[in-house]
Amino acid sequence: MQVSLEPRPRGFHLVTDEVTAGVPDLNRIRVGIAVVFMQHTSASLTLNENASPDVRRDFAAWFDRAVPDGADYFQHTLEGPDDMPAHIKASLTGSSLVLPVRDGRLALGTWQGIYLCEHRDRGGSRKLLVTAFGESGR
Amino acid sequence: MQVSLEPRPRGFHLVTDEVTAGVPDLNRIRVGIAVVFMQHTSASLTLNENASPDVRRDFAAWFDRAVPDGADYFQHTLEGPDDMPAHIKASLTGSSLVLPVRDGRLALGTWQGIYLCEHRDRGGSRKLLVTAFGESGR
Amino acid sequence: MQVSLEPRPRGFHLVTDEVTAGVPDLNRIRVGIAVVFMQHTSASLTLNENASPDVRRDFAAWFDRAVPDGADYFQHTLEGPDDMPAHIKASLTGSSLVLPVRDGRLALGTWQGIYLCEHRDRGGSRKLLVTAFGESGR
């Protein structure tokens, strides 16, 4: 199932509701998994704390320091100073989330939410492909 | 299947046996996968070298330098200087392991073991949710 | 299904074709997933930009700076100055790729390719284990 995330500014964004709204079929699965896959190389997905916006801001603070825009050792610079860091940040966080499904819902921990990690200044809309399966029988 | 890992100090810990003991159903799967999922945002899972305790100590040495406790650019500090670094380290390593199962066992490489990455000073017990499936017929 | 990747020098290498050639059964899956699993702890897998060789060179430039060979805080040094960094880089990128399959093919984004992340100076051949499943009916 394809889910299109609306464009967001560079940073880390909580998108749990947007993802689950795009996958109504989950409610037919009693025990299974959902694979949420990002079809881009300069944005990525991770699970983290779903309550405080400070946490998401601090993610950006750390990643922007760890992989600096326009570092002088990058050669792939034609697409802008945020491009090569975006690729590296995407691989540090990852393209897929593999989530347990129980009784028709994502079985996340209490504090877990899905983050869209948007690493480009103007990334635009991002496409996810969700594959869910397991035993039905609800 | 739920697996509770006993509380461990901050650091990287080999928990392969504790995880597999919690998933006896694996032995019914001939070809499949097991998804091991951490239901927390300040601890995580990774696969790495299962022999030398030095490797696990060096993991802590590197991660503690890469994401320093109490860095002055963190704003989410209410839960202690180890909290925000714990969230970032958790996303760098990841919440899920997706492991092949062959002939009733995890088909890990010779040197691969499952690490609990405990990023908090006092993280307490950690809950994993394991989902395994595949073709049976053993 | 086992796939042996031929030995490659340290660095990041595009291996999409080598992986898919090793998994002919994909063409029987209409909707499903493929799990590509690296059975080693000093090499890893990631998805990233499949066009420019500069991107792969810049990945090496960043990772070699972020996890320096022979750093003085590493104690696990018996296997050489590239060994402990290799373990850490492997956990930062990860051992598994979980990829959607649609209509008999990997449903990657236009710019996504599979990278072998070879972190050792002489890593030799690397073994992958691929598990693919889903609804057939093509």
Side-chain angles (χ1 to χ4, degrees), chain B residues 90-122:
Chain B
S91 281
L92 289 174
T93 38
S95 308
S96 316
L97 295 177
V98 183
L99 309 171
V101 179
R102 295 294 185 274
D103 298 323
R105 297 157 160 270
L106 297 179
L108 303 180
T110 311
W111 301 103
Q112 286 181 312
I114 300 175
Y115 284 15
L116 164 66
C117 316
E118 175 56 73
H119 305 301
R120 296 301 309 265
D121 290 336
R122 286 177 188 76

mmCIF file of all heavy atoms in Angstrom, chain B residues 90-122:
data_model
loop_
_atom_site.group_PDB
_atom_site.id
_atom_site.type_symbol
_atom_site.label_atom_id
_atom_site.label_comp_id
_atom_site.label_asym_id
_atom_site.label_seq_id
_atom_site.Cartn_x
_atom_site.Cartn_y
_atom_site.Cartn_z
ATOM 1 N N ALA B 90 19.731 5.106 20.266
ATOM 2 C CA ALA B 90 18.735 4.079 19.931
ATOM 3 C C ALA B 90 18.390 4.132 18.443
ATOM 4 O O ALA B 90 18.260 3.096 17.784
ATOM 5 C CB ALA B 90 17.475 4.256 20.782
ATOM 6 N N SER B 91 18.259 5.343 17.898
ATOM 7 C CA SER B 91 17.939 5.442 16.466
ATOM 8 C C SER B 91 19.131 5.104 15.574
ATOM 9 O O SER B 91 18.957 4.657 14.442
ATOM 10 C CB SER B 91 17.385 6.827 16.131
ATOM 11 O OG SER B 91 16.018 6.905 16.506
ATOM 12 N N LEU B 92 20.344 5.309 16.066
ATOM 13 C CA LEU B 92 21.518 4.948 15.263
ATOM 14 C C LEU B 92 21.672 3.436 15.132
ATOM 15 O O LEU B 92 22.189 2.939 14.126
ATOM 16 C CB LEU B 92 22.793 5.534 15.882
ATOM 17 C CG LEU B 92 22.951 7.054 15.769
ATOM 18 C CD1 LEU B 92 24.173 7.519 16.553
ATOM 19 C CD2 LEU B 92 23.083 7.475 14.296
ATOM 20 N N THR B 93 21.250 2.714 16.135
ATOM 21 C CA THR B 93 21.382 1.254 16.084
ATOM 22 C C THR B 93 20.073 0.600 15.639
ATOM 23 O O THR B 93 20.098 -0.308 14.818
ATOM 24 C CB THR B 93 21.865 0.705 17.439
ATOM 25 O OG1 THR B 93 21.227 1.457 18.495
ATOM 26 C CG2 THR B 93 23.361 0.908 17.609
ATOM 27 N N GLY B 94 18.934 1.064 16.151
ATOM 28 C CA GLY B 94 17.667 0.580 15.619
ATOM 29 C C GLY B 94 16.847 -0.248 16.583
ATOM 30 O O GLY B 94 17.365 -0.885 17.492
ATOM 31 N N SER B 95 15.548 -0.268 16.339
ATOM 32 C CA SER B 95 14.591 -0.925 17.221
ATOM 33 C C SER B 95 14.293 -2.370 16.845
ATOM 34 O O SER B 95 13.716 -3.106 17.638
ATOM 35 C CB SER B 95 13.257 -0.178 17.198
ATOM 36 O OG SER B 95 13.444 1.181 17.459
ATOM 37 N N SER B 96 14.601 -2.759 15.618
ATOM 38 C CA SER B 96 14.237 -4.109 15.173
ATOM 39 C C SER B 96 15.448 -4.857 14.640
ATOM 40 O O SER B 96 16.297 -4.269 13.976
ATOM 41 C CB SER B 96 13.259 -4.081 13.991
ATOM 42 O OG SER B 96 12.250 -3.158 14.144
ATOM 43 N N LEU B 97 15.461 -6.152 14.878
ATOM 44 C CA LEU B 97 16.340 -7.050 14.138
ATOM 45 C C LEU B 97 15.458 -7.965 13.302
ATOM 46 O O LEU B 97 14.461 -8.487 13.808
ATOM 47 C CB LEU B 97 17.185 -7.894 15.094
ATOM 48 C CG LEU B 97 18.183 -7.130 15.953
ATOM 49 C CD1 LEU B 97 18.888 -8.112 16.899
ATOM 50 C CD2 LEU B 97 19.199 -6.399 15.083
ATOM 51 N N VAL B 98 15.828 -8.146 12.065
ATOM 52 C CA VAL B 98 15.087 -9.064 11.201
ATOM 53 C C VAL B 98 16.050 -10.167 10.811
ATOM 54 O O VAL B 98 17.018 -9.936 10.083
ATOM 55 C CB VAL B 98 14.532 -8.329 9.971
ATOM 56 C CG1 VAL B 98 13.707 -9.287 9.130
ATOM 57 C CG2 VAL B 98 13.675 -7.144 10.405
ATOM 58 N N LEU B 99 15.800 -11.358 11.344
ATOM 59 C CA LEU B 99 16.787 -12.435 11.293
ATOM 60 C C LEU B 99 16.248 -13.619 10.511
ATOM 61 O O LEU B 99 15.094 -14.018 10.698
ATOM 62 C CB LEU B 99 17.113 -12.886 12.721
ATOM 63 C CG LEU B 99 17.488 -11.742 13.685
ATOM 64 C CD1 LEU B 99 17.584 -12.267 15.114
ATOM 65 C CD2 LEU B 99 18.791 -11.099 13.258
ATOM 66 N N PRO B 100 17.069 -14.217 9.659
ATOM 67 C CA PRO B 100 16.612 -15.413 8.957
ATOM 68 C C PRO B 100 16.518 -16.606 9.907
ATOM 69 O O PRO B 100 17.327 -16.745 10.833
ATOM 70 C CB PRO B 100 17.703 -15.642 7.904
ATOM 71 C CG PRO B 100 18.919 -14.947 8.422
ATOM 72 C CD PRO B 100 18.446 -13.822 9.288
ATOM 73 N N VAL B 101 15.530 -17.464 9.658
ATOM 74 C CA VAL B 101 15.393 -18.719 10.395
ATOM 75 C C VAL B 101 15.521 -19.859 9.388
ATOM 76 O O VAL B 101 14.932 -19.803 8.303
ATOM 77 C CB VAL B 101 14.013 -18.801 11.094
ATOM 78 C CG1 VAL B 101 13.859 -20.121 11.849
ATOM 79 C CG2 VAL B 101 13.808 -17.619 12.031
ATOM 80 N N ARG B 102 16.362 -20.827 9.725
ATOM 81 C CA ARG B 102 16.521 -22.006 8.878
ATOM 82 C C ARG B 102 16.529 -23.241 9.778
ATOM 83 O O ARG B 102 17.259 -23.271 10.775
ATOM 84 C CB ARG B 102 17.836 -21.958 8.089
ATOM 85 C CG ARG B 102 17.943 -20.830 7.076
ATOM 86 C CD ARG B 102 16.951 -20.972 5.917
ATOM 87 N NE ARG B 102 17.146 -19.949 4.902
ATOM 88 C CZ ARG B 102 16.608 -18.716 4.926
ATOM 89 N NH1 ARG B 102 15.849 -18.320 5.927
ATOM 90 N NH2 ARG B 102 16.809 -17.877 3.921
ATOM 91 N N ASP B 103 15.719 -24.231 9.439
ATOM 92 C CA ASP B 103 15.716 -25.508 10.162
ATOM 93 C C ASP B 103 15.552 -25.314 11.666
ATOM 94 O O ASP B 103 16.249 -25.941 12.468
ATOM 95 C CB ASP B 103 17.001 -26.289 9.869
ATOM 96 C CG ASP B 103 17.100 -26.629 8.379
ATOM 97 O OD1 ASP B 103 16.057 -26.931 7.764
ATOM 98 O OD2 ASP B 103 18.211 -26.552 7.828
ATOM 99 N N GLY B 104 14.643 -24.419 12.034
ATOM 100 C CA GLY B 104 14.295 -24.283 13.432
ATOM 101 C C GLY B 104 15.209 -23.418 14.278
ATOM 102 O O GLY B 104 15.028 -23.332 15.499
ATOM 103 N N ARG B 105 16.175 -22.755 13.651
ATOM 104 C CA ARG B 105 17.115 -21.918 14.409
ATOM 105 C C ARG B 105 17.367 -20.601 13.693
ATOM 106 O O ARG B 105 17.243 -20.514 12.477
ATOM 107 C CB ARG B 105 18.489 -22.602 14.494
ATOM 108 C CG ARG B 105 18.511 -23.893 15.209
ATOM 109 C CD ARG B 105 19.728 -24.698 14.742
ATOM 110 N NE ARG B 105 20.041 -25.724 15.720
ATOM 111 C CZ ARG B 105 20.866 -25.552 16.748
ATOM 112 N NH1 ARG B 105 21.499 -24.399 16.913
ATOM 113 N NH2 ARG B 105 21.079 -26.531 17.606
ATOM 114 N N LEU B 106 17.810 -19.618 14.462
ATOM 115 C CA LEU B 106 18.287 -18.377 13.855
ATOM 116 C C LEU B 106 19.520 -18.694 13.012
ATOM 117 O O LEU B 106 20.459 -19.337 13.508
ATOM 118 C CB LEU B 106 18.667 -17.350 14.929
ATOM 119 C CG LEU B 106 17.542 -16.861 15.836
ATOM 120 C CD1 LEU B 106 18.092 -15.866 16.863
ATOM 121 C CD2 LEU B 106 16.400 -16.229 15.042
ATOM 122 N N ALA B 107 19.509 -18.234 11.771
ATOM 123 C CA ALA B 107 20.638 -18.530 10.873
ATOM 124 C C ALA B 107 21.647 -17.392 10.895
ATOM 125 O O ALA B 107 21.900 -16.728 9.893
ATOM 126 C CB ALA B 107 20.113 -18.778 9.460
ATOM 127 N N LEU B 108 22.214 -17.165 12.065
ATOM 128 C CA LEU B 108 23.220 -16.111 12.208
ATOM 129 C C LEU B 108 24.568 -16.599 11.695
ATOM 130 O O LEU B 108 24.835 -17.802 11.655
ATOM 131 C CB LEU B 108 23.355 -15.717 13.686
ATOM 132 C CG LEU B 108 22.081 -15.245 14.374
ATOM 133 C CD1 LEU B 108 22.377 -14.893 15.833
ATOM 134 C CD2 LEU B 108 21.467 -14.052 13.662
ATOM 135 N N GLY B 109 25.420 -15.647 11.310
ATOM 136 C CA GLY B 109 26.792 -15.997 10.993
ATOM 137 C C GLY B 109 27.523 -16.472 12.240
ATOM 138 O O GLY B 109 27.102 -16.211 13.374
ATOM 139 N N THR B 110 28.644 -17.133 12.021
ATOM 140 C CA THR B 110 29.421 -17.729 13.115
ATOM 141 C C THR B 110 29.719 -16.755 14.245
ATOM 142 O O THR B 110 29.673 -17.119 15.421
ATOM 143 C CB THR B 110 30.785 -18.220 12.569
ATOM 144 O OG1 THR B 110 30.522 -19.000 11.390
ATOM 145 C CG2 THR B 110 31.537 -19.023 13.607
ATOM 146 N N TRP B 111 30.013 -15.512 13.894
ATOM 147 C CA TRP B 111 30.458 -14.549 14.885
ATOM 148 C C TRP B 111 29.366 -13.568 15.308
ATOM 149 O O TRP B 111 29.644 -12.618 16.038
ATOM 150 C CB TRP B 111 31.662 -13.770 14.345
ATOM 151 C CG TRP B 111 32.791 -14.668 14.017
ATOM 152 C CD1 TRP B 111 33.175 -15.083 12.774
ATOM 153 C CD2 TRP B 111 33.665 -15.321 14.947
ATOM 154 N NE1 TRP B 111 34.238 -15.945 12.877
ATOM 155 C CE2 TRP B 111 34.560 -16.113 14.196
ATOM 156 C CE3 TRP B 111 33.769 -15.324 16.351
ATOM 157 C CZ2 TRP B 111 35.547 -16.888 14.791
ATOM 158 C CZ3 TRP B 111 34.760 -16.091 16.945
ATOM 159 C CH2 TRP B 111 35.631 -16.859 16.168
ATOM 160 N N GLN B 112 28.154 -13.790 14.829
ATOM 161 C CA GLN B 112 27.088 -12.828 15.135
ATOM 162 C C GLN B 112 26.329 -13.178 16.409
ATOM 163 O O GLN B 112 25.917 -14.327 16.603
ATOM 164 C CB GLN B 112 26.083 -12.775 13.979
ATOM 165 C CG GLN B 112 26.602 -12.051 12.750
ATOM 166 C CD GLN B 112 25.581 -12.002 11.639
ATOM 167 O OE1 GLN B 112 24.981 -13.013 11.303
ATOM 168 N NE2 GLN B 112 25.383 -10.836 11.065
ATOM 169 N N GLY B 113 26.123 -12.184 17.234
ATOM 170 C CA GLY B 113 25.289 -12.326 18.415
ATOM 171 C C GLY B 113 24.378 -11.121 18.533
ATOM 172 O O GLY B 113 24.640 -10.069 17.934
ATOM 173 N N ILE B 114 23.308 -11.270 19.309
ATOM 174 C CA ILE B 114 22.357 -10.174 19.522
ATOM 175 C C ILE B 114 22.819 -9.332 20.704
ATOM 176 O O ILE B 114 23.053 -9.854 21.790
ATOM 177 C CB ILE B 114 20.949 -10.730 19.792
ATOM 178 C CG1 ILE B 114 20.475 -11.574 18.596
ATOM 179 C CG2 ILE B 114 19.963 -9.602 20.087
ATOM 180 C CD1 ILE B 114 19.142 -12.271 18.818
ATOM 181 N N TYR B 115 22.964 -8.037 20.461
ATOM 182 C CA TYR B 115 23.328 -7.109 21.540
ATOM 183 C C TYR B 115 22.087 -6.361 22.010
ATOM 184 O O TYR B 115 21.347 -5.804 21.184
ATOM 185 C CB TYR B 115 24.282 -6.018 21.044
ATOM 186 C CG TYR B 115 25.720 -6.377 20.820
ATOM 187 C CD1 TYR B 115 26.160 -7.688 20.743
ATOM 188 C CD2 TYR B 115 26.652 -5.344 20.666
ATOM 189 C CE1 TYR B 115 27.501 -7.959 20.507
ATOM 190 C CE2 TYR B 115 27.993 -5.633 20.436
ATOM 191 C CZ TYR B 115 28.409 -6.937 20.359
ATOM 192 O OH TYR B 115 29.744 -7.206 20.112
ATOM 193 N N LEU B 116 21.878 -6.326 23.326
ATOM 194 C CA LEU B 116 21.035 -5.299 23.917
ATOM 195 C C LEU B 116 21.911 -4.062 24.079
ATOM 196 O O LEU B 116 22.958 -4.115 24.735
ATOM 197 C CB LEU B 116 20.520 -5.754 25.290
ATOM 198 C CG LEU B 116 19.956 -4.627 26.168
ATOM 199 C CD1 LEU B 116 18.688 -4.022 25.567
ATOM 200 C CD2 LEU B 116 19.680 -5.142 27.582
ATOM 201 N N CYS B 117 21.472 -2.963 23.480
ATOM 202 C CA CYS B 117 22.179 -1.693 23.622
ATOM 203 C C CYS B 117 21.409 -0.883 24.668
ATOM 204 O O CYS B 117 20.351 -0.333 24.369
ATOM 205 C CB CYS B 117 22.207 -0.944 22.300
ATOM 206 S SG CYS B 117 22.593 -1.961 20.850
ATOM 207 N N GLU B 118 21.918 -0.876 25.876
ATOM 208 C CA GLU B 118 21.242 -0.165 26.981
ATOM 209 C C GLU B 118 21.892 1.206 27.100
ATOM 210 O O GLU B 118 23.057 1.317 27.484
ATOM 211 C CB GLU B 118 21.374 -0.963 28.275
ATOM 212 C CG GLU B 118 20.814 -0.250 29.492
ATOM 213 C CD GLU B 118 19.346 0.152 29.301
ATOM 214 O OE1 GLU B 118 18.470 -0.732 29.332
ATOM 215 O OE2 GLU B 118 19.088 1.365 29.127
ATOM 216 N N HIS B 119 21.120 2.240 26.768
ATOM 217 C CA HIS B 119 21.695 3.578 26.698
ATOM 218 C C HIS B 119 21.423 4.430 27.940
ATOM 219 O O HIS B 119 21.961 5.528 28.058
ATOM 220 C CB HIS B 119 21.162 4.301 25.455
ATOM 221 C CG HIS B 119 21.387 3.546 24.177
ATOM 222 N ND1 HIS B 119 22.653 3.197 23.746
ATOM 223 C CD2 HIS B 119 20.538 3.040 23.240
ATOM 224 C CE1 HIS B 119 22.549 2.529 22.599
ATOM 225 N NE2 HIS B 119 21.293 2.414 22.286
ATOM 226 N N ARG B 120 20.578 3.958 28.845
ATOM 227 C CA ARG B 120 20.311 4.713 30.068
ATOM 228 C C ARG B 120 21.155 4.188 31.221
ATOM 229 O O ARG B 120 21.474 2.999 31.291
ATOM 230 C CB ARG B 120 18.832 4.608 30.488
ATOM 231 C CG ARG B 120 17.821 5.205 29.532
ATOM 232 C CD ARG B 120 18.014 6.680 29.254
ATOM 233 N NE ARG B 120 18.139 7.538 30.407
ATOM 234 C CZ ARG B 120 17.136 8.214 30.962
ATOM 235 N NH1 ARG B 120 15.906 8.099 30.495
ATOM 236 N NH2 ARG B 120 17.355 9.030 31.980
ATOM 237 N N ASP B 121 21.456 5.068 32.172
ATOM 238 C CA ASP B 121 22.193 4.639 33.355
ATOM 239 C C ASP B 121 21.382 3.622 34.171
ATOM 240 O O ASP B 121 21.932 2.686 34.726
ATOM 241 C CB ASP B 121 22.521 5.860 34.224
ATOM 242 C CG ASP B 121 23.572 6.757 33.574
ATOM 243 O OD1 ASP B 121 24.356 6.249 32.747
ATOM 244 O OD2 ASP B 121 23.587 7.967 33.868
ATOM 245 N N ARG B 122 20.089 3.851 34.231
ATOM 246 C CA ARG B 122 19.194 2.916 34.931
ATOM 247 C C ARG B 122 17.967 2.643 34.067
ATOM 248 O O ARG B 122 16.904 3.208 34.269
ATOM 249 C CB ARG B 122 18.742 3.497 36.275
ATOM 250 C CG ARG B 122 19.829 3.487 37.329
ATOM 251 C CD ARG B 122 19.424 4.129 38.635
ATOM 252 N NE ARG B 122 20.576 4.236 39.523
ATOM 253 C CZ ARG B 122 21.546 5.148 39.374
ATOM 254 N NH1 ARG B 122 21.467 6.025 38.402
ATOM 255 N NH2 ARG B 122 22.565 5.161 40.222
#
